[in-house]
Amino acid sequence: MIAKSLKSPTGSREMDPGIWSKLPPELLEHILSFLPLKTFLNLRSTCKHFKSLVFTPSFMSKYSSGFPFSSFLLLSHPQCYSQFPLYDTILGAWRNLALPFSFLPPCAAQFNLLSSSKGLFCFSLPNSCSFLVCNLLAKSSRVIKFPFFPFSFELLTLVSKPDGYKIFMLCSKFSSNYVFVYDSMVHSWRRYDGFQPLLIENFHQEGASFHGSLYFTTPEPFSVACFDLENGKWEKLNTEMPGELTFVRLVSDIDEGKLYMIGGIGRNGISRSMRLWELGKGGNWKEVERLPELMCRKFVCLLPQL
């Protein structure tokens, strides 16, 4: 009798590099997004591409979507360092999260959260006249010095991109305001002309990132202006705004490529209704939702107490 060694068809086989090396990047990222967090972090040491994925907004968006805790609201207060209340939109509950900042430089003993984008956080460091951008998942950070000192700024917005990030802000130190943009790819600041109506009254708003530009609303009469992050040019959006607006705020869905406007409808500064509009392909605002009247009344009553 001749004994033959048979391999089970379900046994382990070596993967053909010729096949796996030709996988489209989108498919490979989709496969990696199913890995447990600890396994993926260990995998980063195997090649430069896997290591860079943790800095890629598109991959982090796919990765976080596979977990129940994928969407949350984060609040910050200047006097509460490293403690950030989080509202879990899945569970409908608040959490107190102490973020692990042990990897940060010594100059980050005190910091204020200014903006966030796709898992990146931008803080101000009052004691060192600089900003701090950090990726909590990768436990990496970078200190960015102010363009000059003293430096006062408004409308700071952090924009995360596949190849890095940019920081936008307005500076009113000069007789005419200027825009300063930091580009992480070249590690430097660039200065552009500002847009006067955006200052003073609306300095609490951030820009809404949409199709490579940041969109802002101006004070009354309300209008929309956008700043192109690539060429540094301003443009006023030629669109008709809804009537009887009492306030407006822009917000964007980067993944879906949509720009929304939240606003109040009423007279004499009193909102009788709150609505949500989406910017259509023709540049017109299309109403998609409105807050129930009873909820709107309760919300407006609470505004003076906030």
Side-chain angles (χ1 to χ4, degrees), residues 55 101 103-105 107-108 111-125 130-136 139-145 156-160 164-169 182-184 189:
F55 300 98
F101 288 110
F103 64 93
L104 298 182
C107 63
F111 47 82
N112 298 322
L113 179 61
L114 300 177
S115 182
S116 63
S117 177
K118 292 286 188 177
L120 294 180
F121 292 84
C122 181
F123 301 89
S124 66
L125 303 178
S130 56
F131 301 107
L132 175 72
V133 176
C134 64
N135 184 323
L136 301 179
K139 293 187 177 181
S140 62
S141 63
R142 174 178 294 170
V143 175
I144 303 169
K145 292 293 184 181
L156 186 144
T157 306
L158 174 66
V159 180
S160 182
Y165 58 86
K166 290 187 177 183
I167 303 176
F168 167 97
M169 66 192 70
Y182 178 84
D183 190 340
S184 66
W189 293 93

mmCIF file of all heavy atoms in Angstrom, residues 55 101 103-105 107-108 111-125 130-136 139-145 156-160 164-169 182-184 189:
data_model
loop_
_atom_site.group_PDB
_atom_site.id
_atom_site.type_symbol
_atom_site.label_atom_id
_atom_site.label_comp_id
_atom_site.label_asym_id
_atom_site.label_seq_id
_atom_site.Cartn_x
_atom_site.Cartn_y
_atom_site.Cartn_z
ATOM 1 N N PHE A 55 -3.836 58.376 9.146
ATOM 2 C CA PHE A 55 -3.902 59.813 8.924
ATOM 3 C C PHE A 55 -4.852 60.163 7.778
ATOM 4 O O PHE A 55 -4.987 61.329 7.434
ATOM 5 C CB PHE A 55 -2.512 60.378 8.612
ATOM 6 C CG PHE A 55 -1.517 60.151 9.710
ATOM 7 C CD1 PHE A 55 -0.622 59.089 9.637
ATOM 8 C CD2 PHE A 55 -1.473 60.972 10.815
ATOM 9 C CE1 PHE A 55 0.304 58.861 10.650
ATOM 10 C CE2 PHE A 55 -0.569 60.756 11.835
ATOM 11 C CZ PHE A 55 0.324 59.705 11.752
ATOM 12 N N PHE A 101 -3.548 62.421 26.822
ATOM 13 C CA PHE A 101 -2.631 63.404 26.248
ATOM 14 C C PHE A 101 -1.203 63.229 26.761
ATOM 15 O O PHE A 101 -0.415 64.167 26.738
ATOM 16 C CB PHE A 101 -3.118 64.820 26.563
ATOM 17 C CG PHE A 101 -4.341 65.207 25.782
ATOM 18 C CD1 PHE A 101 -5.555 65.337 26.419
ATOM 19 C CD2 PHE A 101 -4.263 65.431 24.422
ATOM 20 C CE1 PHE A 101 -6.684 65.698 25.692
ATOM 21 C CE2 PHE A 101 -5.383 65.778 23.694
ATOM 22 C CZ PHE A 101 -6.600 65.918 24.330
ATOM 23 N N PHE A 103 1.154 61.750 25.413
ATOM 24 C CA PHE A 103 2.125 61.798 24.329
ATOM 25 C C PHE A 103 2.387 63.218 23.841
ATOM 26 O O PHE A 103 3.238 63.426 22.976
ATOM 27 C CB PHE A 103 1.629 60.955 23.149
ATOM 28 C CG PHE A 103 0.368 61.465 22.514
ATOM 29 C CD1 PHE A 103 0.413 62.334 21.431
ATOM 30 C CD2 PHE A 103 -0.863 61.087 23.012
ATOM 31 C CE1 PHE A 103 -0.747 62.801 20.857
ATOM 32 C CE2 PHE A 103 -2.028 61.548 22.432
ATOM 33 C CZ PHE A 103 -1.971 62.417 21.354
ATOM 34 N N LEU A 104 1.691 64.210 24.391
ATOM 35 C CA LEU A 104 1.829 65.582 23.916
ATOM 36 C C LEU A 104 3.100 66.220 24.456
ATOM 37 O O LEU A 104 3.632 65.801 25.489
ATOM 38 C CB LEU A 104 0.613 66.409 24.335
ATOM 39 C CG LEU A 104 -0.729 65.944 23.760
ATOM 40 C CD1 LEU A 104 -1.844 66.881 24.207
ATOM 41 C CD2 LEU A 104 -0.686 65.880 22.246
ATOM 42 N N PRO A 105 3.623 67.251 23.796
ATOM 43 C CA PRO A 105 4.836 67.932 24.255
ATOM 44 C C PRO A 105 4.588 68.683 25.554
ATOM 45 O O PRO A 105 3.437 68.988 25.902
ATOM 46 C CB PRO A 105 5.154 68.898 23.098
ATOM 47 C CG PRO A 105 3.855 69.104 22.396
ATOM 48 C CD PRO A 105 3.123 67.802 22.521
ATOM 49 N N CYS A 107 4.895 71.725 26.354
ATOM 50 C CA CYS A 107 4.262 73.039 26.209
ATOM 51 C C CYS A 107 2.745 72.948 26.170
ATOM 52 O O CYS A 107 2.055 73.969 26.219
ATOM 53 C CB CYS A 107 4.768 73.741 24.951
ATOM 54 S SG CYS A 107 4.366 72.880 23.409
ATOM 55 N N ALA A 108 2.189 71.724 26.084
ATOM 56 C CA ALA A 108 0.747 71.538 25.996
ATOM 57 C C ALA A 108 0.120 71.282 27.363
ATOM 58 O O ALA A 108 -0.864 70.570 27.483
ATOM 59 C CB ALA A 108 0.421 70.388 25.051
ATOM 60 N N PHE A 111 -4.410 73.954 27.252
ATOM 61 C CA PHE A 111 -4.811 74.112 25.858
ATOM 62 C C PHE A 111 -6.311 74.314 25.778
ATOM 63 O O PHE A 111 -7.061 73.931 26.679
ATOM 64 C CB PHE A 111 -4.408 72.884 25.036
ATOM 65 C CG PHE A 111 -4.761 71.580 25.673
ATOM 66 C CD1 PHE A 111 -6.036 71.052 25.561
ATOM 67 C CD2 PHE A 111 -3.804 70.872 26.402
ATOM 68 C CE1 PHE A 111 -6.364 69.850 26.146
ATOM 69 C CE2 PHE A 111 -4.134 69.665 27.000
ATOM 70 C CZ PHE A 111 -5.416 69.153 26.874
ATOM 71 N N ASN A 112 -6.741 74.955 24.700
ATOM 72 C CA ASN A 112 -8.152 75.179 24.430
ATOM 73 C C ASN A 112 -8.486 74.584 23.074
ATOM 74 O O ASN A 112 -7.782 74.833 22.092
ATOM 75 C CB ASN A 112 -8.481 76.676 24.422
ATOM 76 C CG ASN A 112 -8.213 77.333 25.760
ATOM 77 O OD1 ASN A 112 -8.460 76.743 26.807
ATOM 78 N ND2 ASN A 112 -7.693 78.552 25.719
ATOM 79 N N LEU A 113 -9.545 73.808 23.015
ATOM 80 C CA LEU A 113 -9.962 73.204 21.758
ATOM 81 C C LEU A 113 -10.593 74.268 20.865
ATOM 82 O O LEU A 113 -11.519 74.974 21.265
ATOM 83 C CB LEU A 113 -10.964 72.077 22.015
ATOM 84 C CG LEU A 113 -11.504 71.358 20.780
ATOM 85 C CD1 LEU A 113 -10.368 70.684 20.010
ATOM 86 C CD2 LEU A 113 -12.564 70.338 21.172
ATOM 87 N N LEU A 114 -10.087 74.375 19.625
ATOM 88 C CA LEU A 114 -10.575 75.379 18.688
ATOM 89 C C LEU A 114 -11.390 74.785 17.557
ATOM 90 O O LEU A 114 -12.405 75.338 17.142
ATOM 91 C CB LEU A 114 -9.397 76.160 18.088
ATOM 92 C CG LEU A 114 -8.508 76.908 19.076
ATOM 93 C CD1 LEU A 114 -7.344 77.554 18.331
ATOM 94 C CD2 LEU A 114 -9.304 77.960 19.830
ATOM 95 N N SER A 115 -10.947 73.641 17.027
ATOM 96 C CA SER A 115 -11.620 73.058 15.864
ATOM 97 C C SER A 115 -11.245 71.589 15.755
ATOM 98 O O SER A 115 -10.219 71.148 16.289
ATOM 99 C CB SER A 115 -11.210 73.816 14.591
ATOM 100 O OG SER A 115 -11.873 73.305 13.456
ATOM 101 N N SER A 116 -12.071 70.833 15.050
ATOM 102 C CA SER A 116 -11.789 69.418 14.805
ATOM 103 C C SER A 116 -12.264 69.051 13.414
ATOM 104 O O SER A 116 -13.182 69.671 12.863
ATOM 105 C CB SER A 116 -12.469 68.523 15.847
ATOM 106 O OG SER A 116 -13.873 68.661 15.768
ATOM 107 N N SER A 117 -11.626 68.033 12.838
ATOM 108 C CA SER A 117 -11.985 67.600 11.490
ATOM 109 C C SER A 117 -11.498 66.181 11.261
ATOM 110 O O SER A 117 -10.294 65.912 11.316
ATOM 111 C CB SER A 117 -11.373 68.546 10.443
ATOM 112 O OG SER A 117 -11.638 68.114 9.126
ATOM 113 N N LYS A 118 -12.432 65.257 11.031
ATOM 114 C CA LYS A 118 -12.102 63.880 10.669
ATOM 115 C C LYS A 118 -11.113 63.226 11.631
ATOM 116 O O LYS A 118 -10.155 62.566 11.207
ATOM 117 C CB LYS A 118 -11.544 63.841 9.251
ATOM 118 C CG LYS A 118 -12.548 64.166 8.159
ATOM 119 C CD LYS A 118 -13.500 63.008 7.941
ATOM 120 C CE LYS A 118 -14.385 63.223 6.745
ATOM 121 N NZ LYS A 118 -15.266 62.081 6.487
ATOM 122 N N GLY A 119 -11.302 63.415 12.931
ATOM 123 C CA GLY A 119 -10.430 62.783 13.909
ATOM 124 C C GLY A 119 -9.219 63.601 14.302
ATOM 125 O O GLY A 119 -8.504 63.232 15.227
ATOM 126 N N LEU A 120 -8.959 64.714 13.611
ATOM 127 C CA LEU A 120 -7.877 65.620 13.991
ATOM 128 C C LEU A 120 -8.435 66.720 14.892
ATOM 129 O O LEU A 120 -9.554 67.189 14.686
ATOM 130 C CB LEU A 120 -7.222 66.248 12.763
ATOM 131 C CG LEU A 120 -6.454 65.327 11.823
ATOM 132 C CD1 LEU A 120 -5.876 66.132 10.660
ATOM 133 C CD2 LEU A 120 -5.345 64.588 12.554
ATOM 134 N N PHE A 121 -7.632 67.146 15.881
ATOM 135 C CA PHE A 121 -8.034 68.203 16.795
ATOM 136 C C PHE A 121 -7.018 69.331 16.744
ATOM 137 O O PHE A 121 -5.803 69.087 16.703
ATOM 138 C CB PHE A 121 -8.132 67.674 18.227
ATOM 139 C CG PHE A 121 -9.256 66.705 18.448
ATOM 140 C CD1 PHE A 121 -9.109 65.359 18.143
ATOM 141 C CD2 PHE A 121 -10.468 67.137 18.952
ATOM 142 C CE1 PHE A 121 -10.145 64.467 18.333
ATOM 143 C CE2 PHE A 121 -11.514 66.248 19.148
ATOM 144 C CZ PHE A 121 -11.359 64.915 18.844
ATOM 145 N N CYS A 122 -7.512 70.564 16.749
ATOM 146 C CA CYS A 122 -6.640 71.736 16.768
ATOM 147 C C CYS A 122 -6.877 72.495 18.066
ATOM 148 O O CYS A 122 -8.013 72.898 18.353
ATOM 149 C CB CYS A 122 -6.912 72.636 15.562
ATOM 150 S SG CYS A 122 -5.860 74.104 15.490
ATOM 151 N N PHE A 123 -5.808 72.673 18.850
ATOM 152 C CA PHE A 123 -5.874 73.381 20.124
ATOM 153 C C PHE A 123 -5.006 74.641 20.048
ATOM 154 O O PHE A 123 -4.056 74.714 19.278
ATOM 155 C CB PHE A 123 -5.350 72.505 21.269
ATOM 156 C CG PHE A 123 -6.085 71.203 21.446
ATOM 157 C CD1 PHE A 123 -5.689 70.060 20.769
ATOM 158 C CD2 PHE A 123 -7.169 71.114 22.305
ATOM 159 C CE1 PHE A 123 -6.358 68.859 20.925
ATOM 160 C CE2 PHE A 123 -7.843 69.916 22.470
ATOM 161 C CZ PHE A 123 -7.443 68.780 21.791
ATOM 162 N N SER A 124 -5.352 75.609 20.874
ATOM 163 C CA SER A 124 -4.462 76.752 21.068
ATOM 164 C C SER A 124 -3.641 76.514 22.330
ATOM 165 O O SER A 124 -4.149 75.961 23.318
ATOM 166 C CB SER A 124 -5.254 78.051 21.192
ATOM 167 O OG SER A 124 -6.037 78.050 22.374
ATOM 168 N N LEU A 125 -2.384 76.937 22.303
ATOM 169 C CA LEU A 125 -1.487 76.809 23.446
ATOM 170 C C LEU A 125 -1.127 78.218 23.910
ATOM 171 O O LEU A 125 -0.173 78.824 23.412
ATOM 172 C CB LEU A 125 -0.225 76.033 23.064
ATOM 173 C CG LEU A 125 -0.448 74.630 22.490
ATOM 174 C CD1 LEU A 125 0.890 74.002 22.113
ATOM 175 C CD2 LEU A 125 -1.188 73.741 23.489
ATOM 176 N N SER A 130 1.231 79.343 20.150
ATOM 177 C CA SER A 130 1.224 78.390 19.048
ATOM 178 C C SER A 130 -0.065 77.580 19.066
ATOM 179 O O SER A 130 -0.872 77.667 19.998
ATOM 180 C CB SER A 130 2.437 77.459 19.126
ATOM 181 O OG SER A 130 2.476 76.792 20.370
ATOM 182 N N PHE A 131 -0.234 76.796 18.011
ATOM 183 C CA PHE A 131 -1.347 75.863 17.904
ATOM 184 C C PHE A 131 -0.805 74.441 18.021
ATOM 185 O O PHE A 131 0.376 74.187 17.768
ATOM 186 C CB PHE A 131 -2.079 76.012 16.568
ATOM 187 C CG PHE A 131 -2.645 77.380 16.326
ATOM 188 C CD1 PHE A 131 -2.063 78.244 15.411
ATOM 189 C CD2 PHE A 131 -3.772 77.806 17.013
ATOM 190 C CE1 PHE A 131 -2.578 79.500 15.187
ATOM 191 C CE2 PHE A 131 -4.299 79.065 16.791
ATOM 192 C CZ PHE A 131 -3.706 79.912 15.882
ATOM 193 N N LEU A 132 -1.693 73.531 18.388
ATOM 194 C CA LEU A 132 -1.335 72.120 18.477
ATOM 195 C C LEU A 132 -2.359 71.321 17.683
ATOM 196 O O LEU A 132 -3.557 71.406 17.949
ATOM 197 C CB LEU A 132 -1.316 71.655 19.926
ATOM 198 C CG LEU A 132 -1.071 70.158 20.145
ATOM 199 C CD1 LEU A 132 0.375 69.810 19.830
ATOM 200 C CD2 LEU A 132 -1.419 69.754 21.569
ATOM 201 N N VAL A 133 -1.893 70.568 16.705
ATOM 202 C CA VAL A 133 -2.753 69.671 15.942
ATOM 203 C C VAL A 133 -2.361 68.248 16.310
ATOM 204 O O VAL A 133 -1.175 67.889 16.243
ATOM 205 C CB VAL A 133 -2.607 69.885 14.430
ATOM 206 C CG1 VAL A 133 -3.439 68.878 13.654
ATOM 207 C CG2 VAL A 133 -3.039 71.296 14.064
ATOM 208 N N CYS A 134 -3.334 67.438 16.707
ATOM 209 C CA CYS A 134 -2.994 66.080 17.134
ATOM 210 C C CYS A 134 -3.982 65.074 16.591
ATOM 211 O O CYS A 134 -5.156 65.372 16.342
ATOM 212 C CB CYS A 134 -2.903 65.981 18.654
ATOM 213 S SG CYS A 134 -4.452 66.277 19.512
ATOM 214 N N ASN A 135 -3.478 63.876 16.383
ATOM 215 C CA ASN A 135 -4.261 62.714 15.988
ATOM 216 C C ASN A 135 -4.247 61.762 17.174
ATOM 217 O O ASN A 135 -3.218 61.151 17.477
ATOM 218 C CB ASN A 135 -3.632 62.058 14.747
ATOM 219 C CG ASN A 135 -4.452 60.905 14.216
ATOM 220 O OD1 ASN A 135 -5.035 60.136 14.975
ATOM 221 N ND2 ASN A 135 -4.474 60.751 12.900
ATOM 222 N N LEU A 136 -5.382 61.656 17.865
ATOM 223 C CA LEU A 136 -5.419 60.874 19.095
ATOM 224 C C LEU A 136 -5.239 59.391 18.846
ATOM 225 O O LEU A 136 -4.652 58.681 19.663
ATOM 226 C CB LEU A 136 -6.740 61.126 19.828
ATOM 227 C CG LEU A 136 -7.014 62.581 20.225
ATOM 228 C CD1 LEU A 136 -8.361 62.681 20.908
ATOM 229 C CD2 LEU A 136 -5.915 63.100 21.130
ATOM 230 N N LYS A 139 -1.666 58.846 18.145
ATOM 231 C CA LYS A 139 -0.861 59.413 19.227
ATOM 232 C C LYS A 139 0.298 60.233 18.682
ATOM 233 O O LYS A 139 1.448 60.088 19.087
ATOM 234 C CB LYS A 139 -0.356 58.305 20.163
ATOM 235 C CG LYS A 139 -1.453 57.612 20.946
ATOM 236 C CD LYS A 139 -0.900 56.651 21.975
ATOM 237 C CE LYS A 139 -2.028 56.030 22.790
ATOM 238 N NZ LYS A 139 -1.511 55.102 23.815
ATOM 239 N N SER A 140 -0.025 61.101 17.742
ATOM 240 C CA SER A 140 0.970 61.992 17.155
ATOM 241 C C SER A 140 0.462 63.423 17.233
ATOM 242 O O SER A 140 -0.744 63.659 17.288
ATOM 243 C CB SER A 140 1.241 61.616 15.694
ATOM 244 O OG SER A 140 0.067 61.760 14.913
ATOM 245 N N SER A 141 1.383 64.369 17.252
ATOM 246 C CA SER A 141 0.990 65.772 17.354
ATOM 247 C C SER A 141 2.050 66.646 16.708
ATOM 248 O O SER A 141 3.186 66.220 16.476
ATOM 249 C CB SER A 141 0.798 66.168 18.823
ATOM 250 O OG SER A 141 2.026 66.054 19.530
ATOM 251 N N ARG A 142 1.657 67.887 16.415
ATOM 252 C CA ARG A 142 2.588 68.853 15.834
ATOM 253 C C ARG A 142 2.272 70.232 16.413
ATOM 254 O O ARG A 142 1.109 70.656 16.456
ATOM 255 C CB ARG A 142 2.466 68.896 14.318
ATOM 256 C CG ARG A 142 3.315 69.997 13.656
ATOM 257 C CD ARG A 142 3.185 69.968 12.147
ATOM 258 N NE ARG A 142 3.760 68.745 11.616
ATOM 259 C CZ ARG A 142 3.623 68.360 10.352
ATOM 260 N NH1 ARG A 142 2.911 69.092 9.516
ATOM 261 N NH2 ARG A 142 4.175 67.235 9.936
ATOM 262 N N VAL A 143 3.293 70.911 16.861
ATOM 263 C CA VAL A 143 3.165 72.279 17.361
ATOM 264 C C VAL A 143 3.430 73.240 16.209
ATOM 265 O O VAL A 143 4.439 73.132 15.512
ATOM 266 C CB VAL A 143 4.151 72.545 18.516
ATOM 267 C CG1 VAL A 143 4.087 74.011 18.949
ATOM 268 C CG2 VAL A 143 3.845 71.623 19.696
ATOM 269 N N ILE A 144 2.498 74.180 16.004
ATOM 270 C CA ILE A 144 2.590 75.133 14.904
ATOM 271 C C ILE A 144 2.650 76.536 15.481
ATOM 272 O O ILE A 144 1.702 76.984 16.142
ATOM 273 C CB ILE A 144 1.378 74.999 13.955
ATOM 274 C CG1 ILE A 144 1.285 73.569 13.426
ATOM 275 C CG2 ILE A 144 1.476 76.004 12.815
ATOM 276 C CD1 ILE A 144 -0.011 73.279 12.698
ATOM 277 N N LYS A 145 3.725 77.234 15.263
ATOM 278 C CA LYS A 145 3.904 78.578 15.790
ATOM 279 C C LYS A 145 2.989 79.572 15.079
ATOM 280 O O LYS A 145 2.684 79.417 13.897
ATOM 281 C CB LYS A 145 5.357 79.027 15.633
ATOM 282 C CG LYS A 145 6.340 78.263 16.507
ATOM 283 C CD LYS A 145 6.104 78.569 17.982
ATOM 284 C CE LYS A 145 7.134 77.891 18.875
ATOM 285 N NZ LYS A 145 6.875 78.186 20.313
ATOM 286 N N LEU A 156 -11.333 80.391 13.097
ATOM 287 C CA LEU A 156 -10.372 79.325 12.848
ATOM 288 C C LEU A 156 -11.103 78.043 12.466
ATOM 289 O O LEU A 156 -12.034 77.618 13.142
ATOM 290 C CB LEU A 156 -9.492 79.086 14.059
ATOM 291 C CG LEU A 156 -8.345 78.084 13.857
ATOM 292 C CD1 LEU A 156 -7.112 78.509 14.629
ATOM 293 C CD2 LEU A 156 -8.748 76.670 14.267
ATOM 294 N N THR A 157 -10.665 77.435 11.367
ATOM 295 C CA THR A 157 -11.271 76.206 10.862
ATOM 296 C C THR A 157 -10.186 75.228 10.448
ATOM 297 O O THR A 157 -9.309 75.578 9.658
ATOM 298 C CB THR A 157 -12.182 76.495 9.653
ATOM 299 O OG1 THR A 157 -13.138 77.499 10.001
ATOM 300 C CG2 THR A 157 -12.906 75.237 9.218
ATOM 301 N N LEU A 158 -10.239 74.027 10.987
ATOM 302 C CA LEU A 158 -9.319 72.955 10.607
ATOM 303 C C LEU A 158 -9.978 72.113 9.523
ATOM 304 O O LEU A 158 -11.116 71.671 9.680
ATOM 305 C CB LEU A 158 -8.988 72.089 11.816
ATOM 306 C CG LEU A 158 -8.143 70.836 11.580
ATOM 307 C CD1 LEU A 158 -6.738 71.205 11.121
ATOM 308 C CD2 LEU A 158 -8.091 69.979 12.842
ATOM 309 N N VAL A 159 -9.261 71.916 8.416
ATOM 310 C CA VAL A 159 -9.784 71.142 7.297
ATOM 311 C C VAL A 159 -8.846 69.968 7.041
ATOM 312 O O VAL A 159 -7.681 70.167 6.671
ATOM 313 C CB VAL A 159 -9.920 71.991 6.014
ATOM 314 C CG1 VAL A 159 -10.479 71.152 4.870
ATOM 315 C CG2 VAL A 159 -10.814 73.190 6.268
ATOM 316 N N SER A 160 -9.329 68.753 7.255
ATOM 317 C CA SER A 160 -8.528 67.557 7.020
ATOM 318 C C SER A 160 -8.685 67.106 5.576
ATOM 319 O O SER A 160 -9.787 67.094 5.023
ATOM 320 C CB SER A 160 -8.979 66.441 7.969
ATOM 321 O OG SER A 160 -8.194 65.287 7.799
ATOM 322 N N GLY A 164 -3.120 65.482 4.044
ATOM 323 C CA GLY A 164 -2.691 66.341 5.144
ATOM 324 C C GLY A 164 -3.847 67.153 5.695
ATOM 325 O O GLY A 164 -4.971 66.685 5.761
ATOM 326 N N TYR A 165 -3.568 68.401 6.070
ATOM 327 C CA TYR A 165 -4.619 69.273 6.586
ATOM 328 C C TYR A 165 -4.218 70.732 6.371
ATOM 329 O O TYR A 165 -3.055 71.058 6.105
ATOM 330 C CB TYR A 165 -4.868 69.013 8.075
ATOM 331 C CG TYR A 165 -3.652 69.205 8.960
ATOM 332 C CD1 TYR A 165 -3.314 70.461 9.473
ATOM 333 C CD2 TYR A 165 -2.834 68.129 9.287
ATOM 334 C CE1 TYR A 165 -2.201 70.634 10.278
ATOM 335 C CE2 TYR A 165 -1.718 68.284 10.088
ATOM 336 C CZ TYR A 165 -1.406 69.540 10.583
ATOM 337 O OH TYR A 165 -0.305 69.715 11.365
ATOM 338 N N LYS A 166 -5.225 71.608 6.494
ATOM 339 C CA LYS A 166 -4.999 73.046 6.415
ATOM 340 C C LYS A 166 -5.735 73.721 7.563
ATOM 341 O O LYS A 166 -6.768 73.237 8.031
ATOM 342 C CB LYS A 166 -5.489 73.613 5.077
ATOM 343 C CG LYS A 166 -4.630 73.175 3.881
ATOM 344 C CD LYS A 166 -5.032 73.897 2.603
ATOM 345 C CE LYS A 166 -4.103 73.494 1.461
ATOM 346 N NZ LYS A 166 -4.416 74.224 0.201
ATOM 347 N N ILE A 167 -5.178 74.835 8.024
ATOM 348 C CA ILE A 167 -5.800 75.636 9.077
ATOM 349 C C ILE A 167 -6.091 77.012 8.504
ATOM 350 O O ILE A 167 -5.185 77.700 8.019
ATOM 351 C CB ILE A 167 -4.892 75.765 10.311
ATOM 352 C CG1 ILE A 167 -4.529 74.384 10.859
ATOM 353 C CG2 ILE A 167 -5.579 76.590 11.392
ATOM 354 C CD1 ILE A 167 -3.548 74.440 12.020
ATOM 355 N N PHE A 168 -7.354 77.391 8.546
ATOM 356 C CA PHE A 168 -7.795 78.689 8.031
ATOM 357 C C PHE A 168 -8.148 79.602 9.201
ATOM 358 O O PHE A 168 -8.718 79.160 10.199
ATOM 359 C CB PHE A 168 -9.029 78.497 7.138
ATOM 360 C CG PHE A 168 -9.761 79.769 6.809
ATOM 361 C CD1 PHE A 168 -9.533 80.427 5.609
ATOM 362 C CD2 PHE A 168 -10.687 80.306 7.696
ATOM 363 C CE1 PHE A 168 -10.203 81.597 5.311
ATOM 364 C CE2 PHE A 168 -11.369 81.474 7.401
ATOM 365 C CZ PHE A 168 -11.129 82.125 6.203
ATOM 366 N N MET A 169 -7.815 80.895 9.074
ATOM 367 C CA MET A 169 -8.237 81.870 10.078
ATOM 368 C C MET A 169 -8.170 83.270 9.508
ATOM 369 O O MET A 169 -7.436 83.546 8.547
ATOM 370 C CB MET A 169 -7.362 81.776 11.334
ATOM 371 C CG MET A 169 -5.913 82.159 11.125
ATOM 372 S SD MET A 169 -4.903 81.686 12.531
ATOM 373 C CE MET A 169 -4.910 79.912 12.369
ATOM 374 N N TYR A 182 -2.498 77.731 6.979
ATOM 375 C CA TYR A 182 -1.343 76.855 7.215
ATOM 376 C C TYR A 182 -1.547 75.557 6.445
ATOM 377 O O TYR A 182 -2.607 74.941 6.509
ATOM 378 C CB TYR A 182 -1.183 76.545 8.706
ATOM 379 C CG TYR A 182 -0.043 75.601 9.003
ATOM 380 C CD1 TYR A 182 1.254 76.075 9.142
ATOM 381 C CD2 TYR A 182 -0.273 74.230 9.134
ATOM 382 C CE1 TYR A 182 2.303 75.203 9.406
ATOM 383 C CE2 TYR A 182 0.767 73.356 9.398
ATOM 384 C CZ TYR A 182 2.055 73.845 9.528
ATOM 385 O OH TYR A 182 3.092 72.976 9.787
ATOM 386 N N ASP A 183 -0.516 75.143 5.708
ATOM 387 C CA ASP A 183 -0.558 73.915 4.914
ATOM 388 C C ASP A 183 0.426 72.918 5.512
ATOM 389 O O ASP A 183 1.632 73.177 5.569
ATOM 390 C CB ASP A 183 -0.193 74.214 3.461
ATOM 391 C CG ASP A 183 -0.457 73.022 2.533
ATOM 392 O OD1 ASP A 183 -0.545 71.891 3.035
ATOM 393 O OD2 ASP A 183 -0.553 73.228 1.314
ATOM 394 N N SER A 184 -0.089 71.765 5.972
ATOM 395 C CA SER A 184 0.779 70.772 6.607
ATOM 396 C C SER A 184 1.749 70.123 5.622
ATOM 397 O O SER A 184 2.753 69.538 6.039
ATOM 398 C CB SER A 184 -0.068 69.683 7.271
ATOM 399 O OG SER A 184 -0.779 68.931 6.292
ATOM 400 N N TRP A 189 2.908 79.079 6.538
ATOM 401 C CA TRP A 189 1.722 79.911 6.449
ATOM 402 C C TRP A 189 1.731 80.705 5.135
ATOM 403 O O TRP A 189 2.785 81.068 4.632
ATOM 404 C CB TRP A 189 1.673 80.911 7.608
ATOM 405 C CG TRP A 189 1.485 80.298 8.960
ATOM 406 C CD1 TRP A 189 2.465 79.934 9.843
ATOM 407 C CD2 TRP A 189 0.242 80.000 9.602
ATOM 408 N NE1 TRP A 189 1.912 79.420 10.991
ATOM 409 C CE2 TRP A 189 0.549 79.451 10.871
ATOM 410 C CE3 TRP A 189 -1.090 80.146 9.222
ATOM 411 C CZ2 TRP A 189 -0.436 79.057 11.762
ATOM 412 C CZ3 TRP A 189 -2.082 79.748 10.114
ATOM 413 C CH2 TRP A 189 -1.746 79.207 11.367
#
